[in-house]
């Protein structure tokens, strides 16, 4: 989590640091990203960086938190378009990731996030919502868009667990599609996994 000092910076300086970080993390995988390049591009001393963030991971998680806001808007839109069908909406999210110029709000943010995701296929949905920039509210807004009448929910946390599972599967598929020449194969596998979830794996008792 960034320090209060970072959030109290003048907007121009704050925005320059974030723009430099976005450019660096969209250029190379996290392991190869350089704090030196970020601070040089932002025009700040390296010592100042540690007044704002604990380390490179702290900055990366902060950045993911901002991307989470753009992803939340997109997922909510897809859920609205699919009348609350979370399975169909998450398939649409995968399809959107394969479109190099998606016609959505915050298009540049979404495209940048997808680039970072494909550079770091170890990323998962849980990390996206660990950035701490209003991300709990993001999840709540998404859950409110789901038509619970389409799901067999039995416990209070079932909906949140289900959406977390779908998000992890979708993010993993998007990352995999970015490093393969056959994203259609990844899509078919994701669609099949969703079908397995929808029908359940327990054997149905035969009617007598």
């Amino acid at each position: 989590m960034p320090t209060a000092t970072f959030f109290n910076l003048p907007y121009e300086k704050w925005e320059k640091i974030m723009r430099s970080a976005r450019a660096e993390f969209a250029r190379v995988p996290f392991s190869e990203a350089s704090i030196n390049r970020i601070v040089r591009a932002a025009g700040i001393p390296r010592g100042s960086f540690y007044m704002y963030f604990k380390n490179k991971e702290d900055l990366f998680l902060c950045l993911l938190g901002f991307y989470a806001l753009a992803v939340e808007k997109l997922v909510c839109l897809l859920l609205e378009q699919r009348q609350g069908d979370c399975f169909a909406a998450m398939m649409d999210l995968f399809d959107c990731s394969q479109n190099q110029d998606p016609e959505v709000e915050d298009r540049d943010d979404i495209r940048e996030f997808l680039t970072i995701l494909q550079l770091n296929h170890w990323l998962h949905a849980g990390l996206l919502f660990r950035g701490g920039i209003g991300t709990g509210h993001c999840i709540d807004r998404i859950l409110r868009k789901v038509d619970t009448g389409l799901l067999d929910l039995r416990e209070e946390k079932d909906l949140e667990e289900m959406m977390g599972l779908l998000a992890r599967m979708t993010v993993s598929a998007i990352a995999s599609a970015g490093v393969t020449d056959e994203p259609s194969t990844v899509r078919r596998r994701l669609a099949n996994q969703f079908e397995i979830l929808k029908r359940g794996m327990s054997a149905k008792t035969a009617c007598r």
Side-chain angles (χ1 to χ4, degrees):
M1 183 72 177
T3 66
T5 303
F6 176 69
F7 288 115
N8 289 327
L9 287 173
Y11 176 77
E12 294 76 13
K13 188 170 185 178
W14 174 91
E15 197 274 336
K16 193 170 184 180
I17 293 170
M18 294 305 293
R19 186 171 67 245
S20 301
R22 289 165 68 139
E24 179 68 5
F25 288 122
R27 188 182 68 83
V28 293
F30 172 81
S31 60
E32 298 175 24
S34 165
I35 292 175
N36 284 335
R37 281 193 292 265
I38 292 171
V39 298
R40 274 201 305 271
I44 62 171
R46 186 180 173 97
S48 294
F49 176 88
Y50 293 103
M51 293 175 60
Y52 311 142
F53 305 98
K54 293 178 185 175
N55 48 36
K56 183 172 69 171
E57 181 183 5
D58 199 26
L59 171 58
F60 189 59
L61 290 175
C62 173
L63 191 60
L64 290 181
F66 285 106
Y67 287 128
L69 297 174
V71 173
E72 174 256 327
K73 288 182 186 177
L74 176 57
V75 173
C76 284
L77 173 64
L78 296 174
L79 281 166
E80 288 176 1
Q81 292 174 345
R82 289 293 192 166
Q83 289 79 51
D85 184 335
C86 55
F87 289 96
M90 296 310 280
M91 284 304 307
D92 288 345
L93 179 62
F94 177 86
D95 291 337
C96 185
S97 76
Q98 302 308 297
N99 183 350
Q100 294 301 308
D101 195 26
E103 293 298 324
V104 296
E105 188 179 356
D106 300 319
R107 178 175 58 187
D108 291 343
D109 290 343
I110 294 293
R111 190 163 47 202
E112 212 167 58
F113 165 66
L114 293 172
T115 297
I116 291 173
L117 183 60
Q118 290 165 357
L119 284 169
N120 301 279
H121 26 104
W122 50 269
L123 270 176
H124 55 80
L127 275 178
L128 177 61
F129 293 102
R130 267 183 54 196
I133 314 298
T135 50
H137 296 298
C138 288
I139 296 169
D140 290 342
R141 286 191 291 267
I142 289 171
L143 296 182
R144 286 198 294 270
K145 297 289 184 180
V146 177
D147 182 352
T148 56
L150 300 174
L151 303 170
D152 180 13
L153 303 175
R154 305 182 186 187
E155 302 290 340
E156 182 180 351
K157 287 288 187 178
D158 280 0
L159 178 58
E160 186 174 343
E161 293 289 345
M162 169 62 77
M163 285 305 297
L165 179 58
L166 295 185
R168 287 190 292 275
M169 294 167 68
T170 306
V171 167
S172 176
I174 291 170
S176 296
V179 294
T180 179
D181 294 329
E182 298 184 11
S184 59
T185 301
V186 177
R187 188 189 192 282
R188 284 195 299 273
R189 184 164 61 245
L190 179 64
N192 184 57
Q193 290 170 346
F194 282 2
E195 286 301 319
I196 290 170
L197 280 179
K198 282 193 281 187
R199 72 172 184 258
M201 289 297 291
S202 295
K204 305 298 185 290
T205 303
C207 295
R208 294 182 182 273

